[in-house]
Amino acid sequence: MSYFAGLDVSLRSVSICVIDGDGKITLERTVPFEIEDVVACLRSVDGVVEQVGFEAGVMSQHLYHGLTAFDFDTICAQIGTTIAKDTRTTTLTECLILGEWLLSHATIFDIHA
């Protein structure tokens, strides 16, 4: 089964929401903002995480390069204010499944070193 992960990133922690291809939440967890902790959480899913997405912010470059170094297909997007804060991570994860919606409603960043 395919899984998709949305991350809500702060300076000290990362909230992770993983859903399957049917939109069912399979994991919700908050880990310290260390690449190794995020990767360990994503790898704890019983299956392959097809794509990881998060909203652009202060730590975007570090997180993007860290996840891609571990071979995660990673998207950094500027979603805007249309998503309610309490559902932001879950909704971002759902957007990964609906790739066309994401491309039409968000700005996708190509992050350079």
Side-chain angles (χ1 to χ4, degrees), residues 47-101:
V48 176
V49 175
E50 296 289 329
Q51 202 165 55
V52 179
F54 55 92
E55 190 170 7
V58 174
M59 301 305 289
S60 299
Q61 189 173 20
H62 176 69
L63 185 59
Y64 179 86
H65 289 295
L67 291 173
T68 57
F70 283 95
D71 296 322
F72 285 100
D73 181 12
T74 306
I75 292 177
C76 175
Q78 181 62 51
I79 303 287
T81 59
T82 60
I83 301 173
K85 183 152 181 69
D86 60 339
T87 61
R88 181 179 296 284
T89 306
T90 303
T91 306
L92 176 57
T93 309
E94 292 167 344
C95 290
L96 294 175
I97 292 174
L98 305 170
E100 292 178 19
W101 184 95

Side-chain angles (χ1 to χ4, degrees), residues 2 17 19 23 26 29 33-34 37 63 69 73 80-82 84 89 95 104 109:
S2 296
C17 177
I19 62 176
T26 59
R29 188 174 301 157
F33 183 29
E34 297 294 335
D37 292 324
L63 185 59
D73 181 12
T81 59
T82 60
T89 306
C95 290
S104 66
F109 293 97

